[in-house]
Amino acid sequence: MARRQLLALVFCAVHAAPLAAESIGDPTRGATLFDRQCKACHQIGAGATNRVGPVLSNLFGRKAGAVPDFKYSKPLTRMGADGLIWTLQTLDAYIENPKALVSGTRMNYRGMADATARADLIAFLRDYSDQPQNIPESEPTARKTAPALDPAILAIEGDPEYGAYLSSECSTCHRRDGTDDGIPSITQWPPEDFVVAMHAYKAKLRPHPVMQMMASRLSNDEIAALAAYFATLE
Amino acid sequence: MILNRRHVIGTGFATAALLSAPMVWGQAKPRVVVIGGGAGGATAARYLAKDSAGGLDVTLIEANPIYTTCFFSNLYLGGFREFESLQHSYDGIAAGGVTVINDMATGVDRAAKTVTLAGGQTVPYDRLILSPGIDFRDGAVPGWSADEHADIMPHAYKAGPQTQLLKSMVESMPQGGTFAMIAPPNPYRCPPGPYERVSMVAHLLKQTNPTAKILVLDPKDNFSKRALFEEGWGRHYDGMIDWVGPEFGGGAVEVRPDTMEILVEGEVQKVDVCNVIPGQIAGKIAAIAGVTDDSGWAPVHPDSMKSRTDENVYVLGDSSAQGDMPKSGYSANSQAKVAAMSIRGELLGSKVFPAKYSNTCWSLIAPEDGVKVGASYEPTPEKIASVESFISATGEDAALRKVTYEESLGWYSGITADMFG
């Protein structure tokens, strides 16, 4: 009994320490970024209402596409149903490049490339969600663990001939002519978005089980090959 | 040697010349003949023609001028789709440069490398793809034979008039009547198919005949997506479906089509509709060609889908014995692409990449309540082996089930476009 208590204490200490010690980012800088880049479409905090974009209060731990009365794009609703939850990690990926995480999202925002700026913005957004000190079991605020995509991976020149063969596995479900009906279109994507999206499935950041399985066995070269092929498909 | 071979091809060609585009001697292209225009054969023919850009002479032999997909035919039974939505012509494949012959292949001479058709023609090949689907094992269900009893107790396991017959029988069942299904032993086409069918029949009956009963007699201890189906049956059709496994006689069933009776462990039961899905073997032409083994299926090399019996013959889809992949349209479509690549490599010297296979099977349990199971596969020396898999979970919320159903509709339009152009 005594031993178990001791273990529990050690466990807590190990996990609690980084939470206290390490903040996500600078919420004050984040507030400025929010005013400049988000406020035109989103409201947050007391009295916030849906505008062009949905209310961003209580965002953390929320299923994507779940704010009542907000009309989301079909792809965002679909991803929410598939299991996309807004966490530090998924929000970071979304703000970095919305259309690479949720292809076809209506959020008309080019993305925020600077990782520090994103961390600051997310720290600001985090202040408007339930805090760990309020609800111990709520989403932890630990820094994201998945490394960002290595620029070397993005720089791989894909072999379109190999991509053509590999693509035959995609076209069982995805229409080559770009028809989007129950299954998203993947033709004529910018290669970089394609590569980021496939790696997001591989890292299980994107939620869909079929796509996670398909992506999991594709090498970096194979993903680049597919991106090269689909980018040019008529 | 080469001259002899040319000579044989030449005589065959003289008879076949009427069916295909004229060709100049000396420029003869390698010939690939595909038997069976379903998910395996149609895909293979289309990809061979498309990817060889005219370098191959591709012929597809299929008995039906219009193809009715077996996949999604349960959704027609449940009233979710029109019958016509399951039907596809071969015009798109023909437009893609494939010679489509609407006839039944009745013989394969592997020594001469020719296929004989019911119409009397002989078609020569350099490579032959067999993708003939399934046939029923004689005597699989005592008292029932496909030739004599399919009009009384339909199998509806090759989509077409049989599917329409089964639907009309369900619709005209007396109030409170009994629908019986004799489920097949492994291995068989579309593992979740019988249980999706039970769900669709239950959905239909729930609306028009809510006191009707469904009795499933099953020789298997377990079945595909069982937890998901049983959860769904409890939720949507509580008390309507009775599944009887082998421990209670589900595996020892005899039928009496003349009196619409079934015998379970000697006990006679009168039923109103009886769907007999018998044990299965490879489509007949595979046995005629001599590429099947004692199991009734055709063993293939896992890295190419090439027959283990004849290096000039490939076997795709349901007919093949390949290892872990289920017999499904999706699997056949996946295998077809590997075989097409292998054949182009052999005949045209194009690059051959490592084989990758995959499968996903969606099933509909009730309106907007879709589930799925899938896996990826890779060849090992012994078999095509499962690498990674997933399955829908019990207790998923309605939004996810709806998205899964919508995704299955997208898959149907995707795979049929991939098969038929």
Side-chain angles (χ1 to χ4, degrees):
Chain A
M1 196 63 192
R3 188 167 148 264
R4 192 177 271 187
Q5 265 173 358
L6 183 69
L7 268 180
L9 276 174
V10 171
F11 192 75
C12 280
V14 165
H15 276 257
L19 289 190
E22 193 179 12
S23 60
I24 308 163
D26 176 359
T28 315
R29 277 194 54 195
T32 314
L33 286 165
F34 183 86
D35 284 349
R36 273 196 221 135
Q37 306 214 14
C38 315
K39 213 167 86 177
C41 299
H42 290 282
Q43 294 191 356
I44 193 164
T49 55
N50 290 332
R51 306 291 298 241
V52 176
V55 168
L56 296 180
S57 311
N58 293 312
L59 184 56
F60 285 75
R62 185 165 91 197
K63 192 162 108 171
V67 170
D69 303 325
F70 186 78
K71 181 99 181 96
Y72 289 94
S73 65
K74 259 175 107 171
L76 196 85
T77 309
R78 185 156 58 201
M79 277 236 167
D82 274 339
L84 180 65
I85 306 282
W86 293 126
T87 62
L88 285 182
Q89 205 176 359
T90 55
L91 260 181
D92 185 61
Y94 192 58
I95 295 168
E96 182 178 7
N97 183 350
K99 287 183 165 61
L101 186 72
V102 183
S103 334
T105 178
R106 267 201 287 273
M107 179 151 120
N108 212 354
Y109 177 62
R110 69 188 176 282
M112 190 180 279
D114 179 8
T116 314
R118 289 200 304 278
D120 294 343
L121 178 61
I122 290 169
F124 168 76
L125 295 172
R126 188 71 186 82
D127 283 345
Y128 292 90
S129 282
D130 293 325
Q131 298 298 308
Q133 58 267 38
N134 304 334
I135 303 174
E137 65 273 22
S138 72
E139 276 296 304
T141 43
R143 277 189 172 280
K144 70 187 182 99
T145 48
L149 207 51
D150 185 343
I153 289 175
L154 278 173
I156 296 171
E157 196 75 30
D159 169 5
E161 193 196 350
Y162 190 26
Y165 163 63
L166 292 169
S167 78
S168 69
E169 189 158 42
C170 314
S171 61
T172 302
C173 298
H174 297 277
R175 300 276 301 264
R176 279 174 201 273
D177 63 12
T179 309
D180 177 347
D181 123 41
I183 289 182
S185 163
I186 54 170
T187 52
Q188 290 186 0
W189 276 29
E192 188 171 313
D193 286 5
F194 194 102
V195 170
V196 170
M198 290 303 285
H199 282 280
Y201 281 120
K202 206 170 164 171
K204 306 210 186 301
L205 261 173
R206 283 191 175 213
H208 196 270
V210 179
M211 285 309 303
Q212 288 179 355
M213 180 183 83
M214 293 296 180
S216 76
R217 65 165 166 178
L218 292 172
S219 68
N220 296 341
D221 286 339
E222 288 172 332
I223 288 174
L226 280 166
Y229 173 73
F230 276 111
T232 56
L233 194 61
E234 293 282 301
Chain B
M1 194 64 190
I2 287 168
L3 276 174
N4 278 341
R5 192 176 134 264
R6 278 271 160 84
H7 182 67
V8 173
I9 291 173
T11 48
F13 185 72
T15 33
L18 288 171
L19 340 145
S20 55
M23 219 185 288
V24 184
W25 279 114
Q27 292 183 347
K29 297 185 254 186
R31 294 168 162 273
V32 184
V33 172
V34 183
I35 300 178
T43 306
R46 199 173 151 260
Y47 271 72
L48 281 165
K50 175 171 77 71
D51 294 339
S52 68
L56 291 172
D57 182 354
V58 185
T59 301
L60 175 65
I61 300 166
E62 163 61 47
N64 301 301
I66 298 289
Y67 185 79
T68 309
T69 60
C70 221
F71 47 91
F72 270 41
S73 63
N74 284 330
L75 273 65
Y76 157 73
L77 283 176
F80 292 91
R81 277 187 99 88
E82 295 297 317
F83 189 73
E84 291 69 32
S85 78
L86 306 174
Q87 298 197 302
H88 304 270
S89 90
Y90 290 97
D91 294 351
I93 290 182
V98 175
T99 305
V100 179
I101 301 181
N102 186 212
D103 201 344
M104 174 78 93
T106 52
V108 175
D109 183 338
R110 289 197 282 114
K113 295 208 276 184
T114 58
V115 175
T116 317
L117 307 183
Q121 293 132 355
T122 304
V123 187
Y125 66 80
D126 295 301
R127 292 293 181 279
L128 175 65
I129 295 179
L130 297 173
S131 190
I134 53 153
D135 257 303
F136 301 120
R137 197 181 283 282
D138 282 337
V141 176
W144 189 92
S145 90
D147 291 343
E148 288 175 58
H149 306 120
D151 291 345
I152 312 165
M153 293 184 168
H155 56 78
Y157 229 60
K158 296 177 186 178
Q162 276 277 299
T163 324
Q164 292 172 301
L165 176 63
L166 184 63
K167 185 170 164 83
S168 71
M169 285 178 165
V170 175
E171 285 167 344
S172 53
M173 252 172 74
Q175 286 297 311
T178 300
F179 173 98
M181 170 188 283
I182 317 293
N186 289 324
Y188 63 96
R189 159 180 286 181
C190 188
Y195 312 97
E196 181 186 57
R197 176 173 293 177
V198 164
S199 311
M200 293 295 94
V201 170
H203 170 72
L204 205 59
L205 292 174
K206 189 179 173 183
Q207 300 162 76
T208 56
N209 193 346
T211 54
K213 294 284 177 207
I214 297 174
L215 176 62
V216 187
L217 296 154
D218 206 323
K220 304 183 292 299
D221 284 317
N222 217 335
F223 58 84
S224 173
K225 301 180 190 162
R226 180 173 177 178
L228 295 166
F229 279 117
E230 290 186 342
E231 178 196 50
W233 293 347
R235 187 181 333 139
H236 302 291
Y237 317 115
D238 195 27
M240 185 184 261
I241 300 163
D242 195 6
W243 181 82
V244 179
E247 66 271 41
F248 296 106
V253 183
E254 186 184 326
V255 298
R256 293 174 176 167
D258 297 341
T259 51
M260 283 306 285
E261 288 172 326
I262 58 178
L263 276 80
V264 185
E265 288 187 325
E267 201 176 304
V268 177
Q269 182 162 359
K270 186 104 175 103
V271 298
D272 299 288
V273 178
C274 187
N275 176 205
V276 176
I277 310 176
Q280 297 162 22
I281 49 174
K284 201 174 291 165
I285 195 72
I288 292 171
V291 295
T292 54
D293 65 12
D294 291 344
S295 72
W297 307 101
V300 293
H301 291 284
D303 57 348
S304 62
M305 300 305 292
K306 190 188 279 250
S307 164
R308 287 198 188 261
T309 311
D310 186 329
E311 62 176 20
N312 296 315
V313 178
Y314 288 72
V315 186
L316 303 179
D318 295 351
S319 282
S320 65
Q322 33 68 24
D324 294 347
M325 295 183 79
K327 299 185 184 300
S328 73
Y330 193 127
S331 292
N333 172 268
S334 171
Q335 293 160 5
K337 292 159 184 173
V338 171
M341 175 183 60
S342 167
I343 289 173
R344 284 194 300 117
E346 286 184 344
L347 299 180
L348 300 174
S350 63
K351 202 165 167 187
V352 177
F353 298 105
K356 284 180 196 269
Y357 303 96
S358 55
N359 176 65
T360 302
C361 291
W362 287 266
S363 301
L364 187 61
I365 300 177
E368 301 194 334
D369 189 355
V371 292
K372 61 188 168 189
V373 60
S376 55
Y377 304 86
E378 275 169 17
T380 66
E382 296 77 35
K383 63 171 186 176
I384 296 179
S386 172
V387 180
E388 193 183 339
S389 66
F390 67 87
I391 184 165
S392 296
T394 52
E396 286 173 343
D397 65 17
L400 176 51
R401 292 297 177 86
K402 181 170 185 274
V403 163
T404 304
Y405 171 59
E406 287 166 354
E407 184 179 279
S408 76
L409 302 178
W411 167 75
Y412 186 90
S413 82
I415 192 172
T416 50
D418 202 35
M419 289 163 62
F420 298 109

